[in-house]
Amino acid sequence: MLHVRSIWNGAISFGLVSIPIKLVNATESHSISFRQIHLDDGGRIRYRKFCELEDREVSTPEIGKAYEDADGTLIPITDEDLAALPIPTARTIEIVAFVPADQIDPLQMDTAYYLSANGVPAAKPYVLLREALKRSRKVAVAKFALRGRERLGMLRVVDDVIAMHGLLWPDEIRATDEAAPDTSVTVRDKELDLADALMDTLGEVDFADLHDDYREAVEELISAKAAGMEAPAVPAGEPTGGKVLDLMAALEKSVRAAKESRGEEAAEEAAEVTPLPSRRRTPAGKSARTAPKEVGGKKSTSAAKKTAAKKTTSRKTTAKKTTAKKSTTDTAAKKTATKQTAAKKTAAKKTTAKKAAPRKRTSA
């Protein structure tokens, strides 16, 4: 941390204990900056600072600061004026309270800083405050002055360093009234269940694995243009954004996509069983027999057995009825044939007897 330039030197006021510290930035920006150019010839566009009274360009050492009054009057304010303000926080981070961390609204958090012990004598009280914060599991609320104004700060421990987050004053946080939906909306339990499933599927994240895709794409674009090559093509994909027409469908699709991206299989959907068409038409008003239900993607064993038993019994009964009908029909046919044969024999006997009888002679 010694190579990082301090932006403020002062002390932490911890009751009667004073801890000399140096304030350094805890964060750094990796965003790519651009320069303004003249489109016709690519020349740099620069801003020059002119004094409107003398109509000439002035250098940085000649420039100071002033407050503009309501009537337009400019009141000069020097750095010495600000440093001499009669407030205890001019060169001191004054701790005013120790509170649980969840009492600090994240909306208040601003720039983050590291507080470094300034010199060997500051090491002991610095470590004392650091260990006290660790053991109490609390954060310190402090007031300090930086860049021309007094601010709030929150001190907490990061590894072995005391970090300070600048906090916005409560009146600097806007109300939420205008941002909240202005219509009454009812959310169903099924929608909440799907949202919970999506949250569980996405799970946790390792922040070390996250990176700035936009910055990498800009760097590739700059490298391609510098080498005289074409800019990288935009990868084809489904359009994002737009109006959600079916919330349930969108949630279900999101859950499946999240599982696939994590290498997990999508939730097994129950397979639909389509019953075979029956040879007999179902009479109006009666429903067809329901196909056996499936449990976990497989047919229920008991239901399948019952269905098979019913089908076997039905086939046996039908076969018996058919056999009985055939037997009755054959018996009736045999009886009819026997009667017809007996009648023919009787008729034949009568005919023979008539022929054999002598004819009576007729007298003259």
Side-chain angles (χ1 to χ4, degrees):
M1 193 181 298
L2 295 176
H3 65 280
V4 180
R5 186 176 64 87
S6 63
I7 60 175
W8 186 86
N9 292 341
I12 300 175
S13 175
F14 177 31
L16 296 178
V17 178
S18 181
I19 310 171
I21 56 96
K22 294 187 296 185
L23 191 70
V24 299
N25 284 319
T27 61
E28 57 186 4
S29 175
H30 291 162
S31 61
I32 299 174
S33 58
F34 297 98
R35 302 293 186 185
Q36 290 184 330
I37 62 171
H38 187 201
L39 293 178
D40 290 343
D41 53 21
R44 279 280 306 274
I45 301 297
R46 298 181 182 272
Y47 291 97
R48 302 182 186 274
K49 298 181 179 180
F50 279 77
C51 174
E52 63 179 15
L53 296 179
E54 298 182 9
D55 192 22
R56 69 176 181 87
E57 185 178 355
V58 295
S59 60
T60 301
E62 297 180 83
I63 300 174
K65 61 174 68 74
Y67 174 79
E68 185 175 3
D69 206 352
D71 59 359
T73 303
L74 295 175
I75 304 172
I77 301 293
T78 65
D79 293 336
E80 290 74 15
D81 293 334
L82 296 175
L85 289 175
I87 56 174
T89 58
R91 282 294 173 185
T92 304
I93 299 174
E94 183 183 9
I95 295 177
V96 297
F98 292 89
V99 300
D102 58 7
Q103 287 191 14
I104 305 297
D105 190 338
L107 283 173
Q108 287 185 259
M109 292 191 180
D110 199 2
T111 309
Y113 307 95
Y114 287 143
L115 304 181
S116 175
N118 192 2
V120 176
K124 181 66 178 285
Y126 182 95
V127 173
L128 172 64
L129 176 59
R130 183 189 69 192
E131 296 304 314
L133 287 171
K134 281 184 179 180
R135 190 167 70 173
S136 68
R137 297 183 180 180
K138 293 182 177 180
V139 297
V141 177
K143 295 171 67 177
F144 67 103
L146 181 65
R147 296 192 176 107
R149 67 186 185 95
E150 190 175 55
R151 305 185 182 192
L152 281 177
M154 180 192 75
L155 278 63
R156 68 185 184 97
V157 179
V158 178
D159 297 331
D160 289 330
V161 175
I162 298 176
M164 181 173 70
H165 296 267
L167 298 179
L168 300 175
W169 295 98
D171 59 0
E172 294 180 310
I173 305 297
R174 293 179 176 175
T176 60
D177 300 341
E178 296 181 359
D182 55 359
T183 57
S184 178
V185 178
T186 302
V187 179
R188 295 179 295 170
D189 289 339
K190 289 184 178 179
E191 294 169 338
L192 284 174
D193 293 340
L194 278 174
D196 290 340
L198 178 58
M199 294 168 62
D200 293 339
T201 304
L202 292 176
E204 299 179 354
V205 65
D206 184 358
F207 281 91
D209 295 336
L210 301 179
H211 56 279
D212 189 346
D213 293 325
Y214 180 81
R215 178 170 59 88
E216 292 181 357
V218 173
E219 289 175 348
E220 292 179 4
L221 172 63
I222 294 172
S223 298
K225 283 185 167 290
M229 302 170 60
E230 294 184 0
V234 178
E238 295 184 0
T240 58
K243 185 178 180 180
V244 178
L245 299 179
D246 190 337
L247 182 58
M248 291 291 290
L251 287 170
E252 291 172 350
K253 186 176 180 180
S254 299
V255 171
R256 289 195 300 268
K259 287 185 176 181
E260 291 174 0
S261 66
R262 294 170 63 90
E264 300 176 5
E265 295 182 358
E268 295 183 2
E269 297 180 358
E272 295 183 0
V273 178
T274 304
L276 294 175
S278 176
R279 291 183 180 179
R280 295 182 179 180
R281 296 182 177 179
T282 304
K286 294 184 179 180
S287 59
R289 293 181 180 178
T290 305
K293 296 182 178 178
E294 297 190 2
V295 179
K298 294 182 180 180
K299 291 183 178 180
S300 173
T301 305
S302 59
K305 287 182 178 180
K306 289 180 181 180
T307 303
K310 288 180 180 180
K311 289 182 178 180
T312 303
T313 305
S314 177
R315 288 175 181 173
K316 288 181 179 180
T317 304
T318 303
K320 287 181 180 180
K321 288 181 179 180
T322 303
T323 303
K325 287 181 180 179
K326 288 183 178 180
S327 177
T328 303
T329 303
D330 292 344
T331 302
K334 286 180 181 179
K335 288 182 179 181
T336 302
T338 302
K339 288 181 179 180
Q340 290 178 351
T341 302
K344 288 181 180 180
K345 287 181 178 181
T346 303
K349 287 179 179 181
K350 289 181 178 182
T351 303
T352 303
K354 287 181 179 182
K355 291 181 177 181
R359 297 180 176 177
K360 293 179 178 182
R361 292 183 180 180
T362 306
S363 59

